[in-house]
Amino acid sequence: MFLRYSSVSILGLLLLCASAWAKDSKLNTLYKDPNQLMNIRIKILMDQMTLQEKIGQMAQIDRRAATAEIMRDYSLGSLLSGGGSVPSERATAEEWVEMVNGFQNGSLSSRLGIPMIYGIDAVHGHNNVYKATIFPHNVGLGATRDKDLVKRIGAATALEARATGIPYVFAPCIAVCRDPRWGRCYESYSEDPKIVQEMTEIIVGLQGDIPANAAKGVPYVGGNTKVAACAKHFVGDGGTINGINENNTVAGWHELLSIHMPGYYQSIIKGVSTVMVSYSSYNGVKMHASHKLVTKFLKGTLNFRGFVISDWEGIDKLTYPQHANYTHSVLYGVNAGIDMIMVPLNHTEFIDILTSLVNNNFIPMSRINDAVRRILRVKFSMGLFENPMADLSLGDHLGSQAHRDLAREAVRKSLVLLKNGGNADSPILPLPKKASKILVAGSHANNLGYQCGGWTIAWQGLNGNNHTAGTTILSAISTAVDPSTEITYSESPDEDFVKSNNFDYAVVVVGEYPYAETAGDNLDLTIPEPGTDTIMHVCVNVKCVVVLVSGRPLVMGPYLNYMDALVAAWLPGTEGHGVADVLFGDYGFTGKLSRTWFKTVDQLPMNVGDQHYDPLFPFGFGLTTEPVTESS
């Protein structure tokens, strides 16, 4: 079918094209010149942006809802991969880079060519990505007390993220978990704000060492091997009533500043690029609507100069039911001071409502300009305008041996030895490598998914050994012992089996099954079945070491007397060799509890310094062992 145009319509079309070309040809492109001062580049660019382009920069959507055309037409500021949102199952670094660049090409083809920033949850390594190195979760890293180790982990995570073309990670979580019943407690380094402050050194690993003459509070990213970091979740997320996720933190102003805020002071001093707002409330006011804390305190008092980002559909939760009055949500969220809104699956509704609110003077243009200025400041500090495209030059760093060795070191240092023999008994650890016959038992001994926990490949974590690359604790034990030692593995042996096999000793590995966020809220904190049965069947009948894989302390009282040794392994990640290294004496136990180990859940919340402090194992507790030398 042929379309016929009149000479008038053709002339009109040509005039429109010429007009558009003339308009774009008048663009001041000095904002693309890296020799210009950053603030000048920001001003030149913002002076040419339309309201639509500015509001587009304030939206972040999930890759599942994006196309290159959407990135171009809406001038969207950012994309993300939520938990488990990947280009394909077991996607390679090449597939990640190709996907990110496809979206980036869309952004660069927009009128002003503002690059988008791609973000991802990399909370214990590059945890969404197949074959990436999975480090211990933060609760274990807090037990190391080793801020240099954490900095090195940050640098390794940055390299693995950049290997897949991703320049922005939603880490670290600097929550101060005050109640282990909280489903995110393993994302917290400690109940002690001082330890959390020290562990913000991971930001320097992720972003690079901030220059000595840098202005405080200004975001800093040191080149293409580093990533923009995100301190989260502002503020008080670890102090909610009964540890219920997204609930209310009831605290005085002094308590908020002294317990939950110190990590943010340090993060800002270290040049953190972004801060994510918490789903939780402070004294009944939802953080996503708190102008007092987001604008006045974070941006004003603390002089944070990067951008503030919402959590996933965070503003939607300002109403109940969620999203019931979205205009209200956008109004209060943006006016509170949130700069980039994570609207993962529906950007058009957000853009339309925010545009209307600005045009009708409910949200001042100054608020929009503040948000966009901050977003552009981060993008310029990252060098995105000079180097917007990802490449494969860092591909070899994904899951590299050097990073796995680092993760193995982290596992060794994170293990906390809670019991090693009784009062009259000699220590059982370190275990002899040479034995006639040993038993390895328990649901977590041969399960990489359980060993890694939540936020691993999938949001809630997975069950099994075929989802990513790594070494289970069973496999590590098999490698560590003498070749002459016979190993029997039984996931859930009964008493008759244990009695009839005449084992020299047993290693029982049990614990929590993977979870994330609200799914992990737990008012009981007991060891999930069949873990307790396995402990009793084995430890009553043979010398045993129990290795507990968990995101927090669990109820141990009824079983502790039956164990010859107890090791808190937390959620160690992919490198199970680190557990065997210490069990068999190649390295000594050095970890110290970063959390109080309670006797019963009736005591909770109970934290170091409390008036009535009666723990099973106190904060800072941890037995030590010496490495076994050749001569011994």
Side-chain angles (χ1 to χ4, degrees):
M1 174 179 174
F2 293 95
L3 295 176
R4 295 173 179 252
Y5 293 98
S6 70
S7 59
V8 176
S9 63
I10 292 174
L11 178 60
L13 185 62
L14 289 172
L15 286 172
L16 279 173
C17 291
S19 173
W21 177 84
K23 181 181 178 182
D24 281 353
S25 69
K26 293 176 184 175
L27 282 176
N28 183 345
T29 57
L30 273 178
Y31 65 86
K32 296 183 179 180
D33 181 0
N35 296 316
Q36 300 293 322
L37 292 174
M38 184 190 297
N39 285 340
I40 297 222
R41 298 176 76 183
I42 292 171
K43 183 177 188 311
I44 290 169
L45 178 50
M46 287 188 63
D47 283 348
Q48 300 173 87
M49 294 175 72
T50 65
L51 176 61
Q52 180 183 349
E53 287 167 331
K54 288 178 179 179
I55 288 175
Q57 285 297 300
M58 295 173 65
Q60 182 188 62
I61 67 173
D62 189 90
R63 52 161 291 281
R64 291 170 290 185
T67 64
E69 291 73 27
I70 287 173
M71 301 306 292
R72 177 196 68 205
D73 296 344
Y74 289 90
S75 192
L76 296 184
S78 184
L79 279 179
L80 84 149
S81 277
S85 178
V86 298
S88 65
E89 188 177 0
R90 300 192 173 191
T92 62
E94 290 85 353
E95 288 176 274
W96 279 96
V97 166
E98 182 181 358
M99 178 196 70
V100 172
N101 281 345
F103 291 127
Q104 190 67 282
N105 277 323
S107 294
L108 297 176
S109 64
S110 64
R111 185 179 74 92
L112 293 168
I114 303 173
M116 64 90 182
I117 177 174
Y118 198 106
I120 196 167
D121 286 286
V123 297
H124 61 142
H126 199 14
N127 48 259
N128 265 323
V129 176
Y130 179 61
K131 288 190 174 179
T133 309
I134 306 298
F135 294 93
H137 267 297
N138 289 355
V139 65
L141 297 182
T144 71
R145 305 294 201 277
D146 191 338
K147 65 181 184 179
D148 175 69
L149 170 71
V150 169
K151 179 180 177 180
R152 288 183 283 138
I153 289 172
T157 302
L159 282 171
E160 297 210 14
R162 283 286 193 171
T164 56
I166 295 174
Y168 176 31
V169 300
F170 306 128
C173 177
I174 54 172
V176 182
C177 174
R178 303 291 284 179
D179 192 324
R181 292 173 291 188
W182 186 36
R184 304 194 80 149
C185 203
Y186 64 76
E187 297 185 56
S188 169
Y189 293 107
S190 179
E191 69 190 42
D192 181 358
K194 294 187 182 68
I195 291 176
V196 174
Q197 275 189 301
E198 289 176 359
M199 294 302 160
T200 60
E201 195 68 9
I202 194 171
I203 291 168
V204 184
L206 290 164
Q207 297 193 155
D209 288 290
I210 191 166
N213 60 349
K216 294 293 186 287
V218 177
Y220 174 77
V221 180
N224 286 353
T225 62
K226 299 297 180 180
V227 296
C230 179
K232 65 182 189 182
H233 308 84
F234 186 84
V235 59
D237 51 340
T240 58
I241 296 169
N242 295 331
I244 297 171
N245 192 43
E246 305 182 16
N247 203 3
N248 189 27
T249 295
V250 178
W253 185 243
H254 174 74
E255 183 180 338
L256 187 76
L257 295 190
S258 61
I259 292 177
H260 299 286
M261 199 68 79
Y264 291 95
Y265 310 153
Q266 287 298 314
S267 299
I268 292 166
I269 288 169
K270 291 173 180 176
V272 73
S273 295
T274 71
V275 170
M276 183 181 288
V277 181
S278 176
Y279 287 129
S280 59
S281 302
Y282 172 59
N283 290 340
V285 177
K286 286 188 176 288
M287 284 304 311
H288 276 74
S290 179
H291 182 270
K292 175 184 176 181
L293 282 165
V294 176
T295 293
K296 287 190 173 180
F297 194 83
L298 178 62
K299 292 181 175 182
T301 305
L302 299 186
N303 198 31
F304 173 61
R305 304 285 296 284
F307 70 76
V308 177
I309 185 168
S310 81
D311 208 333
W312 178 282
E313 295 182 340
I315 65 167
D316 302 49
K317 298 188 179 189
L318 292 179
T319 60
Y320 183 83
Q322 180 174 323
H323 203 85
N325 184 342
Y326 198 56
T327 299
H328 170 93
S329 294
V330 174
L331 175 65
Y332 278 82
V334 173
N335 273 341
I338 302 173
D339 304 309
M340 183 173 282
I341 316 294
M342 200 183 289
V343 283
L345 306 174
N346 189 348
H347 59 283
T348 56
E349 181 186 21
F350 166 75
I351 289 171
D352 290 346
I353 288 174
L354 182 51
T355 302
S356 175
L357 287 169
V358 174
N359 286 335
N360 288 285
N361 299 316
F362 289 101
I363 294 177
M365 197 64 210
S366 59
R367 173 73 273 273
I368 302 300
N369 287 334
D370 171 58
V372 176
R373 188 177 298 113
R374 289 167 176 277
I375 291 164
L376 293 177
R377 183 178 292 128
V378 170
K379 290 185 177 185
F380 279 119
S381 73
M382 295 171 68
L384 272 180
F385 281 81
E386 290 72 54
N387 296 291
M389 304 303 290
D391 61 49
L392 292 171
S393 61
L394 299 174
D396 290 345
H397 290 287
L398 185 66
S400 69
Q401 190 57 50
H403 292 170
R404 293 189 183 278
D405 291 343
L406 175 61
R408 184 172 178 171
E409 176 190 349
V411 175
R412 290 196 296 262
K413 291 180 174 179
S414 69
L415 302 177
V416 180
L417 180 57
L418 298 173
K419 180 179 180 180
N420 192 15
N423 293 334
D425 299 325
S426 59
I428 185 175
L429 291 169
L431 294 168
K433 293 182 178 180
K434 194 165 187 175
S436 175
K437 190 177 184 182
I438 67 173
L439 171 66
V440 178
S443 52
H444 289 55
N446 190 35
N447 197 306
L448 197 61
Y450 293 173
Q451 193 173 299
C452 292
W455 291 110
T456 307
I457 304 299
W459 174 40
Q460 292 290 332
L462 295 163
N463 168 15
N465 295 331
N466 60 348
H467 303 292
T468 193
T471 304
T472 66
I473 294 171
L474 172 63
S475 178
I477 291 172
S478 301
T479 303
V481 299
D482 189 88
S484 64
T485 299
E486 180 184 343
I487 297 175
T488 299
Y489 169 63
S490 176
E491 184 172 329
S492 186
D494 60 29
E495 282 193 81
D496 291 340
F497 176 83
V498 178
K499 287 178 180 177
S500 62
N501 272 278
N502 197 29
F503 296 112
D504 291 285
Y505 60 81
V507 179
V508 178
V509 190
V510 295
E512 293 187 293
Y513 301 115
Y515 55 82
E517 300 190 46
T518 303
D521 287 354
N522 186 332
L523 297 178
D524 298 326
L525 296 181
T526 53
I527 300 171
E529 293 297 350
T532 52
D533 285 346
T534 304
I535 290 170
M536 296 304 292
H537 292 163
V538 175
C539 294
V540 168
N541 295 292
V542 66
K543 275 192 177 181
C544 78
V545 176
V546 173
V547 177
L548 185 68
V549 175
S550 69
R552 51 201 163 188
L554 300 177
V555 175
M556 301 303 299
Y559 317 104
L560 189 58
N561 287 338
Y562 298 99
M563 307 172 190
D564 295 283
L566 172 60
V567 176
W570 313 112
L571 296 169
T574 51
E575 306 313 303
H577 282 302
V579 176
D581 285 342
V582 185
L583 288 180
F584 293 96
D586 291 329
Y587 295 82
F589 280 92
T590 59
K592 304 294 180 185
L593 286 180
S594 60
R595 303 208 51 77
T596 296
W597 204 294
F598 57 89
K599 291 177 180 176
T600 70
V601 292
D602 295 335
Q603 296 175 295
L604 298 177
M606 178 175 63
N607 295 282
V608 63
D610 287 356
Q611 185 176 359
H612 302 289
Y613 191 69
D614 182 29
L616 182 64
F617 300 109
F619 173 88
F621 181 81
L623 302 173
T624 59
T625 59
E626 293 297 322
V628 177
T629 61
E630 290 288 331
S631 58
S632 62

